[in-house]
Amino acid sequence: MAGAHKIAHATLKGPSVVKEIIIGTTLGLFAGGLWKMHHWNEQRKVRAFYDMLDRGEISVVVEE
């Protein structure tokens, strides 16, 4: 009867450390790239604003 208790179970494996590191690095680089693109876009807008201000195309003073 000792053999009757042997039931095939799926073996649960723990998380793969290397896989976790690769996934984390990939997600981090992707998020960092998105943040950098956002930052460059905002920087471009600010630079365009100050260029227009220097050329006299716009003014920050309210005309009366």
Side-chain angles (χ1 to χ4, degrees):
M1 276 293 199
H5 294 287
K6 290 184 179 179
I7 301 172
H9 289 287
T11 304
L12 296 176
K13 298 173 98 177
S16 171
V17 176
V18 174
K19 188 176 177 183
E20 294 267 339
I21 290 172
I22 291 171
I23 290 173
T25 302
T26 303
L27 289 175
L29 287 172
F30 181 72
L34 287 177
W35 178 253
K36 258 320 211 190
M37 286 192 301
H38 170 73
H39 177 72
W40 287 333
N41 191 34
E42 291 298 314
Q43 194 174 28
R44 182 185 55 81
K45 288 180 193 176
V46 169
R47 192 174 297 127
F49 171 78
Y50 281 109
D51 286 343
M52 287 172 35
L53 194 62
D54 288 341
R55 288 191 303 258
E57 295 177 10
I58 60 172
S59 174
V60 293
V61 178
V62 179
E63 293 182 12
E64 294 183 34

